[in-house]
Amino acid sequence: MNRKTLVLPAIIGLLAPVLAACGATGSGGEGGDAIVVGTTDQFAATKDTPAPFDPAFAYDAGVWNILRQTVQTLMRIPRGGGAPVPEAASRCGFTDTQNESFRCKLRSGLKFPGGEAITADVVKFSLERVVKIKDSSGPSGLLTNIDTIETNGDSEIVFHLKTPDATFPYKLSTPAAGIVDPKAYEATKVRDGFEISASGPYTVKAETKGNKVTSAVFTKNPDYQGDLKVLNDKVELRSFPDADAMEKALKDGEISMMTRTLTPEQIERMSENQEEGIDLVEMPGLEIRYLGFTTDKAPVKDKAVRQAMAAIIDRGELAGKVYPATAEPLYSNIPASIAGHQNSFFNKYGEPNRKKAANMLSAAGISTPVKFTLNYTTDHYGVATEKEFEVLKEQLNASALFDVDIKGTEWTKFRENQNRGDYAVYGMGWFPDFPDADSYVAPFLDEGNFLNSPYVNSEIRTKLIPESRSAADRGAASAPFERIQEIVANDVPLLPLWQGKQYVAARDDVTGVEWSVTSSADLQLWELGRGV
């Protein structure tokens, strides 16, 4: 086994011309058997999640990876990262200096499988239904800044925004802005089940057992019109109950590649013990883990409790014990590799300090030990999550300032409970909607946020987020983001824990592995092929 390491998105971009020319011996899988990719992501249709593959409902990294293969968007993030480029559109751009009007021209020949033409009205329908449906767990918040959508003939569409937003092209690259067939989707109701009717590089057929998907088979869409080059005819994404079963399938040759989520133990073992014919590939990662708080719920209603937790938790010990070599301590809601990051929590709280935490609680008149339950999901972020919460419990209880229990719940029920506000304290992970600091701020702190959080800071919502979005040069948005991070460190509506790296393992006859997962954990299955 060879271990390959790709360190920074910027480096990937510089290497793109070189790597793109290496390794492949042909069209990679065309005309042959499907390239089988393993995942521990689980996809289920339940009473509470009846429409897991509907772009108006889906807002999860695993499901978005299904949609990215099948649902075409006006824009896309290019292969090596950077600013979005046209996809279903032939050209797009702001038409004013205030970043309030965004115009796109559709590619000619766009159509759904079966021949139905895609027009500007179809695009308008697709995005408006996400906003109209406004599912409480869905991605509508990405599109709510749209004021009106204007069409000009069949091929031109103009988005008029309520406020300036230089990140809008990024939002048009997400599955939330996916183009769907109006004949298969209702304007005000989600589409139950696992069918997808769209115009992306693949069509998909879900193989199911009961209410769960066991595999999703992606077949190259002959009607696809876009700028992606599809290097295979068929890819199967197969779900496994755990990472060990997925690894066994890789070693037995049943699958060609394993993606999220490899365990820290697997990564360490595969790094140290080389196995012939299998490569472990390290990639840049933008995943973060954090504790969330229902800030109007006892006992965390008083921010002194949240601040004391921030002063007690030892992120270095947590990452070292649970995620050795695969995670780094995180001291902000914005990860270290994103422009605008600063170590706001470390600046305020420093190293773990029991005395500082005790003084905070005493000054607020809070009796100790403070008792509550740390809630986590058992089946969404990998098997190491339980150990992570055991370590957090040990750290908090060892201070004698807290009396903490932990409780694990399967994801579908956990997400429903969290969204309803049942948990005072809960653990979550986050993969960005797009690689920009805005994607670590608005989903947690803006109106209609992903967490359904009761926390409101008017300076963040009415001044700092709008100010950050007015900067066309995203590097120039650092000042408002730095102020946001200071507020978050003081108020602690969420408590960042660690930032992760990404790993995939693949058999060495598969090409394009280094391009198959982006730093935002987006699968790009069209990059995979067969070769040396």
Side-chain angles (χ1 to χ4, degrees):
M1 179 197 71
N2 300 314
R3 177 172 174 175
K4 302 178 181 178
T5 304
L6 301 176
V7 181
L8 293 172
I11 292 177
I12 293 177
L14 292 173
L15 293 180
V18 179
L19 291 176
C22 296
T25 59
S27 55
E30 291 191 358
D33 295 334
I35 298 172
V36 185
V37 176
T39 180
T40 57
D41 284 325
Q42 304 294 313
F43 312 106
T46 68
K47 180 181 178 181
D48 298 312
T49 58
F53 289 174
D54 189 324
F57 181 88
Y59 199 16
D60 168 79
V63 177
W64 270 21
N65 279 333
I66 299 287
L67 295 178
R68 289 186 189 278
Q69 321 310 312
T70 54
V71 178
Q72 198 171 15
T73 50
L74 290 171
M75 307 288 287
R76 72 175 182 92
I77 304 297
R79 193 188 207 200
V85 296
E87 208 312 69
S90 60
R91 63 178 185 270
C92 285
F94 284 104
T95 61
D96 65 330
T97 58
Q98 299 301 313
N99 298 326
E100 286 185 307
S101 181
F102 194 78
R103 185 185 305 268
C104 289
K105 177 83 170 179
L106 295 181
R107 290 179 183 271
S108 61
L110 288 176
K111 58 184 176 180
F112 294 111
E116 191 72 21
I118 296 174
T119 65
D121 284 334
V122 171
V123 177
K124 179 180 179 180
F125 165 86
S126 299
L127 274 68
E128 285 184 342
R129 73 181 291 271
V130 176
V131 178
K132 288 176 183 176
I133 290 172
K134 199 179 180 181
D135 187 88
S136 60
S137 297
S140 62
L142 290 169
L143 305 178
T144 52
N145 193 35
I146 298 173
D147 187 15
T148 59
I149 301 177
E150 174 189 350
T151 61
N152 183 14
D154 285 341
S155 62
E156 190 171 80
I157 185 163
V158 183
F159 300 92
H160 300 288
L161 307 181
K162 298 173 184 175
T163 58
D165 186 2
T167 71
F168 188 67
Y170 289 91
K171 293 168 182 174
L172 289 182
S173 73
T174 69
I179 303 166
V180 297
D181 188 348
K183 292 185 177 180
Y185 294 82
E186 295 184 40
T188 58
K189 182 182 177 184
V190 294
R191 182 182 184 181
D192 293 355
F194 302 110
E195 291 188 53
I196 301 173
S197 301
S199 57
Y202 296 98
T203 60
V204 65
K205 178 175 174 56
E207 304 290 341
T208 61
K209 183 177 182 180
N211 68 333
K212 290 188 176 182
V213 173
T214 56
S215 73
V217 180
F218 300 96
T219 302
K220 187 176 182 179
N221 177 9
D223 294 318
Y224 169 69
Q225 297 290 327
D227 73 337
L228 295 174
K229 184 177 181 182
V230 183
L231 300 178
N232 55 70
D233 275 348
K234 186 177 290 187
V235 181
E236 177 187 349
L237 186 66
R238 188 178 300 174
S239 290
F240 287 87
D242 54 58
D244 289 337
M246 182 168 60
E247 181 183 2
K248 183 178 185 303
L250 180 69
K251 291 180 176 180
D252 291 347
E254 296 175 11
I255 65 175
S256 295
M257 175 176 157
M258 53 191 287
T259 59
R260 52 182 255 142
T261 307
L262 282 70
T263 67
E265 292 78 14
Q266 283 178 316
I267 294 165
E268 186 175 18
R269 183 175 65 250
M270 295 177 77
S271 296
E272 294 175 353
N273 301 312
Q274 298 184 0
E275 182 149 338
E276 188 66 31
I278 295 177
D279 294 328
L280 180 68
V281 183
E282 178 186 322
M283 299 174 172
L286 294 176
E287 175 189 11
I288 68 169
R289 295 285 177 88
Y290 61 94
L291 294 179
F293 301 97
T294 304
T295 54
D296 61 358
K297 196 175 185 70
V300 298
K301 185 175 182 178
D302 194 316
K303 74 177 179 182
V305 174
R306 310 193 300 269
Q307 290 175 328
M309 292 175 65
I312 288 291
I313 289 175
D314 187 334
R315 296 165 175 81
E317 181 187 58
L318 178 67
K321 278 188 174 181
V322 186
Y323 302 100
T326 66
E328 298 177 347
L330 180 63
Y331 297 94
S332 169
N333 50 302
I334 299 174
S337 46
I338 293 289
H341 162 86
Q342 66 175 4
N343 290 320
S344 52
F345 275 79
F346 190 84
N347 294 342
K348 182 169 179 63
Y349 301 99
E351 297 289 350
N353 189 318
R354 184 197 179 279
K355 183 177 180 181
K356 181 180 289 188
N359 289 340
M360 291 173 177
L361 294 171
S362 176
I366 295 171
S367 300
T368 58
V370 180
K371 187 172 183 177
F372 59 85
T373 299
L374 281 173
N375 292 275
Y376 67 94
T377 175
T378 57
D379 59 347
H380 197 62
Y381 301 118
V383 295
T385 307
E386 181 178 4
K387 183 178 178 181
E388 176 180 353
F389 277 76
E390 288 173 349
V391 172
L392 288 170
K393 173 185 174 180
E394 290 170 3
Q395 290 182 356
L396 291 167
N397 288 349
S399 72
L401 300 173
F402 296 95
D403 180 5
V404 173
D405 289 325
I406 60 174
K407 182 180 180 181
T409 306
E410 65 179 27
W411 172 250
T412 53
K413 181 59 68 174
F414 173 90
R415 179 67 175 118
E416 175 193 353
N417 294 345
Q418 179 275 318
N419 191 54
R420 195 170 52 228
D422 291 354
Y423 301 142
V425 189
Y426 53 88
M428 294 280 276
W430 182 252
F431 296 89
D433 301 326
F434 46 87
D436 185 273
D438 184 88
S439 194
Y440 294 91
V441 170
F444 307 127
L445 303 170
D446 207 358
E447 185 179 359
N449 60 75
F450 164 73
L451 296 177
N452 198 25
S453 172
Y455 172 79
V456 176
N457 182 283
S458 59
E459 182 183 0
I460 290 176
R461 289 192 180 181
T462 63
K463 180 178 183 293
L464 296 172
I465 290 179
E467 183 181 337
S468 72
R469 289 175 174 171
S470 67
D473 176 2
R474 300 310 294 151
S478 293
F481 285 131
E482 289 170 1
R483 173 58 183 153
I484 288 170
Q485 290 166 93
E486 291 173 357
I487 294 171
V488 170
N490 183 69
D491 292 354
V492 199
L494 58 90
L495 202 168
L497 299 173
W498 54 266
Q499 175 180 348
K501 301 176 184 178
Q502 291 188 115
Y503 291 84
V504 300
R507 304 196 70 83
D508 60 10
D509 64 343
V510 179
T511 62
V513 173
E514 63 269 37
W515 299 111
S516 64
V517 184
T518 72
S519 61
S520 300
D522 304 334
L523 271 181
Q524 301 182 143
L525 297 178
W526 54 84
E527 296 282 3
L528 298 176
R530 298 285 189 191
V532 178

